Amino acid sequence: MQSESFKVIITIHGLRALELPSDKYELYYCHTLKSKIKFFYKQFFKNGYNKNVLSYYKKFLDASQIITVSDHSKRSLLSFFPEVSSQRIQVLYSPLIYYGKESKSDTIAKLSLAPRKYFLVLSGSIWTKNSIRAVRAFDELISDRHDLAGIKMIITGVSKLIYKIKNQQNFIFTSYLDRDTLEDLYQNALALVYPTLNEGFGYPPLEALKYGVPVLVSEIGPVPEVCGNAAYYFDPHSEDEIKNSLSSAILNPGLFSDKNIQSRISRYTLIKEKQQSDLDKMIKILIGDQ
């Protein structure tokens, strides 16, 4: 890929296909014949699948410079491809597209939600986002604690149920939403629940933190790198841990204390400033000023 006449720079956002080839619940998300064939191929021909993925990435790794979006992704690149020099990989955080607006109370009402009485889960149709474990954990929590029946969970990006639940009245499944509606959901949530199994960077927690809203997130990959001490962490493979995090959020009287809200906003501001600084660096690289 390198050339004497021009410089080749590539950006790698993550190595999901290598880090997380599959998951035991992935089949629940497979609604087409093609997706089911791919799932079984990954299950029964793991070595062949990994070899193909490694070959795919190797086609790009002789670029003049590699940019990736988190320290985690850089470490992953060096682990899977030790022949690549660390000096050729530069970490520049993904730039943030800022969305900020005043809440429209009718948005929440139309979805039969009350402010601070619901958990928000995103991208329910994507298996790597792991919504199934969050749903199962919350369903079990409501079954155990009927006094919490006033709390709901909304899952975006999935308009039909892909797994069985016992307390259907506590769930709202919806297709992907427009940005204004999504911002309202962020701003009024009890917490964002982000049980992702793999990330290169991870935007959604930041989008909630900017409003001072709690984020219950996976302790994997770059998520702790981005969220720091402004988040509540769990093992995304453990439904019990997710359930405990949900319960703790509901029962925590200081969840929205001024100190906690400010801590979340401060973390968002810190990462936003780094994102802007890194975007400036990227521009200089692209125009040959660095």
Side-chain angles (χ1 to χ4, degrees):
M1 184 179 291
Q2 294 188 54
S3 171
E4 294 181 359
S5 58
F6 59 87
K7 185 177 183 180
V8 177
I9 303 170
I10 66 167
T11 299
I12 295 177
H13 287 268
L15 299 175
R16 178 172 294 158
L18 290 172
E19 294 176 346
L20 184 72
S22 187
D23 178 72
K24 70 177 185 179
Y25 286 138
E26 182 184 356
L27 187 59
Y28 282 91
Y29 300 81
C30 296
H31 300 301
T32 65
L33 179 60
K34 181 179 179 180
S35 64
K36 291 176 181 177
I37 291 173
K38 184 177 180 180
F39 170 77
F40 286 111
Y41 173 71
K42 290 188 292 183
Q43 295 297 312
F44 296 106
F45 301 96
K46 293 180 180 179
N47 290 338
Y49 173 79
N50 289 337
K51 184 178 179 180
N52 288 337
V53 175
L54 283 167
S55 297
Y56 172 79
Y57 278 108
K58 283 181 177 179
K59 292 188 295 185
F60 306 102
L61 295 181
D62 63 345
S64 307
Q65 186 173 354
I66 300 169
I67 294 172
T68 192
V69 296
S70 65
D71 291 328
H72 164 80
S73 292
K74 179 175 180 176
R75 291 191 298 270
S76 186
L77 275 165
L78 294 174
S79 175
F80 283 107
F81 305 100
E83 69 274 18
V84 177
S85 169
S86 176
Q87 284 68 39
R88 280 204 294 128
I89 305 174
Q90 183 171 1
V91 175
L92 297 174
Y93 276 15
S94 296
L96 179 70
I97 300 175
Y98 176 74
Y99 299 98
K101 57 185 288 296
E102 293 297 322
S103 175
K104 298 178 181 177
S105 58
D106 62 328
T107 298
I108 306 302
K110 286 178 180 178
L111 291 169
S112 300
L113 296 169
R116 306 291 181 243
K117 293 292 184 180
Y118 65 90
F119 291 109
L120 174 61
V121 178
L122 304 176
S123 303
S125 63
I126 302 174
W127 71 266
T128 57
K129 299 303 182 183
N130 198 31
S131 63
I132 186 170
R133 288 184 175 91
V135 168
R136 287 164 61 97
F138 184 62
D139 196 29
E140 192 66 29
L141 177 62
I142 296 302
S143 293
D144 291 346
R145 294 287 304 269
H146 297 295
D147 57 315
L148 304 181
I151 308 297
K152 294 187 178 182
M153 176 176 280
I154 178 169
I155 301 92
T156 72
V158 54
S159 54
K160 73 173 186 177
L161 189 63
I162 60 175
Y163 23 71
K164 293 180 180 179
I165 54 177
K166 293 172 281 189
N167 301 283
Q168 295 191 25
Q169 70 281 0
N170 288 89
F171 293 89
I172 297 173
F173 293 87
T174 180
S175 58
Y176 284 97
L177 302 170
D178 63 76
R179 175 48 62 171
D180 282 352
T181 300
L182 187 56
E183 289 298 310
D184 284 338
L185 289 174
Y186 274 128
Q187 193 168 352
N188 289 283
L190 172 63
L192 170 72
V193 184
Y194 198 62
T196 181
L197 295 172
N198 186 273
E199 291 294 331
F201 182 77
Y203 277 114
L206 286 176
E207 294 177 334
L209 289 174
K210 74 172 179 277
Y211 292 118
V213 169
V215 292
L216 316 181
V217 297
S218 299
E219 195 170 16
I220 56 97
V223 178
E225 179 183 339
V226 172
C227 295
N229 61 2
Y232 302 91
Y233 296 100
F234 53 72
D235 175 357
H237 296 95
S238 171
E239 291 174 27
D240 284 338
E241 280 202 25
I242 299 173
K243 177 182 172 182
N244 289 339
S245 290
L246 297 172
S247 176
S248 295
I250 296 171
L251 301 174
N252 183 354
L255 193 65
F256 284 92
S257 69
D258 291 342
K259 180 181 179 180
N260 283 334
I261 290 173
Q262 189 54 52
S263 174
R264 295 167 195 142
I265 295 173
S266 295
R267 184 65 188 182
Y268 162 76
T269 302
L270 177 69
I271 299 300
K272 179 184 177 184
E273 289 172 352
K274 177 168 173 52
Q275 288 173 304
Q276 184 58 55
S277 174
D278 285 355
L279 178 59
D280 294 340
K281 292 177 184 176
M282 172 72 84
I283 293 170
K284 289 181 179 180
I285 290 171
L286 294 177
I287 64 176
D289 191 30
Q290 194 178 85

